[in-house]
Amino acid sequence: MSSCFLDEETFCQCCQLLLQHSHSLCDGWSWEQVKGSEEGYLRKTALGTGRTRCNLDQQGNSSDQHQERTFSLSFHNDDDDDDEDDGAVCCIQEESSSSSVVQYEYHILYSCSYQTPVLYFRASTLEGRSLCLEEVWDSVHPNYRQRLQHRPWDTITQQEHPLLGQSFFVLHPCRTEEFMMPVLKAALEEHRQVNYIVTWLSVVGPVVGLDVPLSYCTQVPEPPHTPSRSPQPPPALHSPQP
């Protein structure tokens, strides 16, 4: 696979091979078919750690154990009091964030516009509250935040899921060519097989807490080269019946 772009047929073939390995590991990937459509997407749910905001009670207590607090100071004068002994009043506002268990739902879709896979996801607390964009960004590992901080909202944005019509976060695919080109070029020169989805996911997944086991990179092959035909999700992509 020498091109950094992906046609929809190859996307489906890569997904099928990924699913075959996932089923052997029982790690939760499945193919979800859209009702009344031939389109579908890869889906996985997982628990992870995220940064969420806390609501403190009057005593400043919180149910979260691993808590970080920040304080902002502001000063104002009481205009209604002429007593010279009254100085400025210091107001302390306390904000708190904590490390909490977060439920993640990941979807991998094909983008016809960019001709690449796209990672959509949403995150919520165990109580069912959806994380806001700021909380999601705070949950990104510091190593990745440092690299992306000059354009954070161009990297992770919130938009409508193209197949479900629901609000999801998405890792924007505009820089996919930038990091996939050298990987695919090196693989071609070394005559190594590369499964595009696995290689791409191993780069973008950890940004939002989705790690890819090493066995995917070593055991999931590149799809065979077949004559072009109308893209159809292979039957094996469907989730096995319980």
Side-chain angles (χ1 to χ4, degrees):
M1 184 177 296
S2 58
S3 174
C4 58
F5 298 107
L6 195 66
D7 62 79
E8 192 169 2
E9 181 184 2
T10 306
F11 169 80
C12 291
Q13 292 174 340
C14 288
C15 289
Q16 182 179 21
L17 293 168
L18 180 149
L19 275 177
Q20 290 173 357
H21 188 66
S22 173
H23 293 162
S24 70
L25 298 179
C26 299
D27 67 350
W29 282 106
S30 64
W31 180 264
E32 302 295 328
Q33 196 80 24
V34 178
K35 277 189 178 182
S37 170
E38 295 180 346
E39 296 183 283
Y41 55 91
L42 282 173
R43 178 181 182 272
K44 180 178 183 176
T45 60
L47 294 177
T49 302
R51 305 296 307 176
T52 59
R53 298 176 180 179
C54 303
N55 291 323
L56 302 180
D57 57 26
Q58 292 181 352
Q59 285 73 38
N61 298 319
S62 171
S63 58
D64 297 297
Q65 294 180 349
H66 304 288
Q67 184 183 116
E68 295 181 359
R69 300 179 184 178
T70 59
F71 299 87
S72 59
L73 303 180
S74 61
F75 295 87
H76 70 273
N77 292 314
D78 189 350
D79 295 333
D80 297 330
D81 193 345
D82 295 329
D83 191 342
E84 295 181 355
D85 293 334
D86 290 341
V89 178
C90 175
C91 299
I92 301 179
Q93 296 178 335
E94 182 175 359
E95 299 175 353
S96 179
S97 65
S98 66
S99 178
S100 305
V101 177
V102 173
Q103 175 84 30
Y104 289 95
E105 180 180 348
Y106 302 102
H107 294 185
I108 298 176
L109 284 70
Y110 179 74
S111 170
C112 294
S113 301
Y114 288 91
Q115 294 183 289
T116 63
V118 184
L119 181 61
Y120 285 79
F121 69 100
R122 54 186 173 187
S124 61
T125 65
L126 296 183
E127 293 75 28
R129 182 182 68 81
S130 298
L131 270 62
C132 65
L133 183 57
E134 288 76 11
E135 288 174 312
V136 167
W137 179 250
D138 288 344
S139 300
V140 173
H141 192 280
N143 289 344
Y144 295 105
R145 278 209 308 268
Q146 291 175 3
R147 299 177 188 177
L148 305 173
Q149 62 185 355
H150 64 293
R151 294 179 62 188
W153 311 124
D154 291 342
T155 304
I156 301 177
T157 59
Q158 193 168 18
Q159 59 184 247
E160 184 179 285
H161 193 292
L163 299 181
L164 302 181
Q166 302 171 3
S167 179
F168 269 71
F169 300 107
V170 59
L171 279 170
H172 201 280
C174 62
R175 298 178 66 182
T176 301
E177 180 183 3
E178 179 182 327
F179 64 79
M180 286 298 294
M181 178 66 80
V183 174
L184 297 176
K185 182 179 179 181
L188 182 65
E189 293 173 350
E190 298 168 10
H191 305 287
R192 288 187 292 107
Q193 288 195 350
V194 172
N195 184 292
Y196 191 109
I197 298 295
V198 170
T199 303
W200 163 83
L201 190 59
S202 66
V203 176
V204 302
V207 176
V208 290
L210 178 57
D211 294 321
V212 179
L214 180 61
S215 62
Y216 276 90
C217 299
T218 59
Q219 298 181 31
V220 180
E222 178 180 346
H225 297 286
T226 57
S228 177
R229 56 180 171 83
S230 179
Q232 295 287 337
L237 287 176
H238 292 280
S239 305
Q241 296 297 322

